[in-house]
Amino acid sequence: MHLIVVSKDLSTFQHLHPENRGKGLFTVTMTFPTGGDYKLIADFIPSGGEPNTESQWITVSGQAPSPRPLQPEMNLTKIVEGKEVTLSFDKLQSGQEATMTFSFRDAASKQPITNLQPYLGAIGHVVIISSDVEKYIHNHPLEENTTGPEAKFGTLFPNSGVYKIWGQFQQNNKVFVVPFVVEVP
């Protein structure tokens, strides 16, 4: 089971794996960074069933920060933990299959990174959520066993609008998360 926890403005993101206690009971302990509204999204496959997603809004007591408006980014290159990560699409159009490509370089040397490690059994995982926090997409890579410098994912954005994308990858036994905000025509 994957448990995705996001704040209402999508500024907070956590990808957790609850412990299976048996008989359909899963538990997880987490700390919320602030008060406010959070959406919990459980992504799972019941024994003998089809993939399923259930979600629930909760309100966490405490001081809630002012919401940050989600703005599409024109530059889809980020520096995260010494890595320069660029996101590109073969096409970006609602209702059409698209290939997302994450490209990795060392931020200092600009050399391609070719030693990514499997994260949850694959080169990486991608979570996409619409700005209204109603559309949830969890993508797995097109090629699971690659080690870089690229990781490709197939996806389909169901509607036009603004989406936040979190790519999750691992290098040197450390998981890193790269967020992007795109506007899908």
Side-chain angles (χ1 to χ4, degrees):
M1 173 186 283
H2 300 278
L3 179 64
I4 306 300
V5 180
V6 292
S7 58
K8 191 171 188 173
D9 67 357
L10 299 178
S11 63
T12 298
F13 169 84
Q14 292 189 51
H15 180 168
L16 307 168
H17 296 99
E19 184 179 339
N20 185 350
R21 300 284 187 174
K23 297 182 182 176
L25 177 64
F26 289 80
T27 60
V28 66
T29 301
M30 67 169 290
T31 302
F32 291 91
T34 66
D37 294 328
Y38 291 86
K39 191 166 205 178
L40 309 179
I41 304 166
D43 187 348
F44 58 96
I45 302 173
S47 295
E50 296 293 318
N52 199 348
T53 303
E54 297 288 338
S55 64
Q56 179 69 45
W57 283 102
I58 64 167
T59 300
V60 175
S61 63
Q63 177 94 14
S66 298
R68 293 185 240 167
L70 202 57
Q71 295 295 323
E73 298 167 335
M74 295 303 159
N75 179 6
L76 296 180
T77 297
K78 300 266 178 90
I79 305 289
V80 174
E81 298 183 30
K83 294 166 247 327
E84 181 182 286
V85 183
T86 300
L87 175 62
S88 61
F89 296 88
D90 65 341
K91 63 183 162 211
L92 189 56
Q93 181 71 41
S94 66
Q96 295 184 14
E97 291 284 336
T99 300
M100 296 181 291
T101 302
F102 292 82
S103 302
F104 304 90
R105 299 168 79 84
D106 181 273
S109 71
K110 302 299 183 196
Q111 292 300 308
I113 292 175
T114 58
N115 66 339
L116 294 175
Q117 299 167 305
Y119 171 60
L120 300 175
I123 184 67
H125 290 264
V126 173
V127 170
I128 304 170
I129 300 179
S130 59
S131 61
D132 63 1
V133 199
E134 292 303 316
K135 306 285 187 287
Y136 165 81
I137 306 163
H138 185 167
N139 295 110
H140 294 266
L142 296 174
E143 296 176 42
E144 292 185 355
N145 297 323
T146 185
T147 58
E150 292 185 339
K152 295 179 184 275
F153 297 79
T155 196
L156 188 142
F157 294 93
N159 303 97
S160 60
V162 176
Y163 291 81
K164 188 154 185 182
I165 300 167
W166 293 270
Q168 299 175 278
F169 305 96
Q170 182 169 278
Q171 182 190 38
N172 301 324
N173 300 316
K174 185 167 189 217
V175 174
F176 61 98
V177 179
V178 188
F180 293 98
V181 179
V182 299
E183 184 160 10
V184 177

